[in-house]
Amino acid sequence: MSVISIYGGDFMAGSKMLSQDVADNIISMITIEKRFGAGDKLPNETELAHELNVSRTTLREAVRILVAYGVLEIRRGNGTFVTEKVLQEGEILGQLSDVKANAGDLYEMRLIFEPEAAYLAAVRGTDGEIRRILECGRRIEEAIRDGSDRTQQEQAFHKSIAQATHNEFMNKLMPILYQAISKGVALSAQGGQAVQDTVADHRLIMEFLSQRDAEGARSAMKIHILHAIRELGIQ
């Protein structure tokens, strides 16, 4: 599907314009987070710009990019909608999501994958991407305080780190890791220590990322996943 080039095929990671980064974020919301499907309406401009930590002007530019690729369509007076064209990409990602793996295998994969993703995010992530990671982390804490399901916020946090690596295939692997994240959230609800570790670990990861400390971010992510393996009794 031609839209894959938005993730980096046509642009060097270091030279991507902010509007292109925002277009990537929206694509991820559709194909990775599964927040929006074909025919769905995006949030209004003000709400979406606030969530992505960008100006409305930048968001409009990103939408124009996705309209040009046929991913979005603007219906005058009604809003911006996801087109049927995303189904092809969604089907590819769906095949990855259908991979059956036990919790041990999934967390082993996270232990291999995510510390390096955190390292690369600290090195390569734009300021806007780092802000998005921090915002996702704050939303996790809000969900924990409210006692609500934080699965979506957890997925968004780890996805935003993977996206900040500017590595297309790290983004492609995220649907598999979502299974591990979902399992972890469900299991941690049964143990207070796991929740406490999640908050403390995320704060450490966020601190290192905000400081652009790549080694620190890698170590903090490794500790986070090891805590989960220990507290959740995953073998």
Side-chain angles (χ1 to χ4, degrees):
M1 184 177 178
S2 60
V3 74
I4 293 175
S5 63
I6 293 175
Y7 284 103
D10 291 342
F11 305 102
M12 295 298 291
S15 63
K16 289 173 72 176
M17 295 171 55
L18 180 57
S19 58
Q20 293 159 356
D21 290 333
V22 175
D24 284 348
N25 279 330
I26 296 172
I27 283 286
S28 295
M29 288 178 176
I30 297 168
T31 61
I32 297 177
E33 295 179 51
K34 305 294 186 184
R35 285 179 56 183
F36 311 110
D40 287 348
K41 181 180 178 180
L42 296 186
N44 66 57
E45 188 178 82
T46 301
E47 180 182 344
L48 190 55
H50 176 73
E51 177 177 349
L52 296 173
N53 291 307
V54 297
S55 68
R56 292 168 64 182
T57 299
T58 299
L59 177 61
R60 289 187 199 114
E61 292 172 354
V63 169
R64 280 197 290 269
I65 291 171
L66 296 179
V67 169
Y69 275 95
V71 176
L72 299 177
E73 64 174 341
I74 298 173
R75 301 176 189 171
R76 299 300 176 189
N78 290 319
T80 303
F81 293 80
V82 180
T83 70
E84 297 290 333
K85 190 172 182 179
V86 298
L87 288 176
Q88 181 182 347
E89 177 78 358
E91 288 167 1
I92 293 171
L93 293 172
Q95 291 171 7
L96 291 175
S97 298
D98 290 338
V99 172
K100 302 300 181 183
N102 62 40
D105 286 346
L106 286 168
Y107 270 83
E108 183 176 74
M109 183 176 176
R110 289 190 70 187
L111 194 57
I112 295 168
F113 171 86
E114 292 197 73
E116 295 307 312
Y119 179 96
L120 292 176
V123 173
R124 298 177 179 173
T126 66
D127 289 344
E129 286 167 339
I130 297 298
R131 286 195 298 270
R132 178 169 168 78
I133 293 167
L134 301 183
E135 177 61 27
C136 289
R138 285 190 286 269
R139 290 177 182 174
I140 290 171
E141 292 194 24
E142 289 175 4
I144 289 173
R145 285 197 300 269
D146 295 341
S148 58
D149 180 24
R150 67 179 194 276
T151 301
Q152 181 175 315
Q153 290 86 351
E154 289 273 5
Q155 291 177 346
F157 178 75
H158 290 278
K159 186 273 295 185
S160 63
I161 292 174
Q163 188 170 47
T165 69
H166 293 268
N167 183 303
E168 177 182 341
F169 292 98
M170 284 193 172
N171 283 286
K172 297 295 185 186
L173 286 170
M174 285 309 296
I176 298 176
L177 298 188
Y178 278 178
Q179 296 182 54
I181 293 169
S182 297
K183 288 176 184 288
V185 172
L187 291 171
S188 69
Q190 304 169 17
Q193 185 60 50
V195 173
Q196 292 176 30
D197 283 344
T198 293
V199 173
D201 292 348
H202 280 188
R203 286 179 179 175
L204 195 58
I205 293 166
M206 292 158 63
E207 178 65 21
F208 283 125
L209 286 173
S210 66
Q211 295 177 3
R212 300 286 184 168
D213 184 335
E215 291 289 353
R218 176 161 57 193
S219 296
M221 182 63 79
K222 182 176 181 180
I223 290 169
H224 173 48
I225 297 169
L226 288 173
H227 276 161
I229 290 171
R230 181 195 67 198
E231 296 297 339
L232 304 179
I234 296 172
Q235 303 297 325

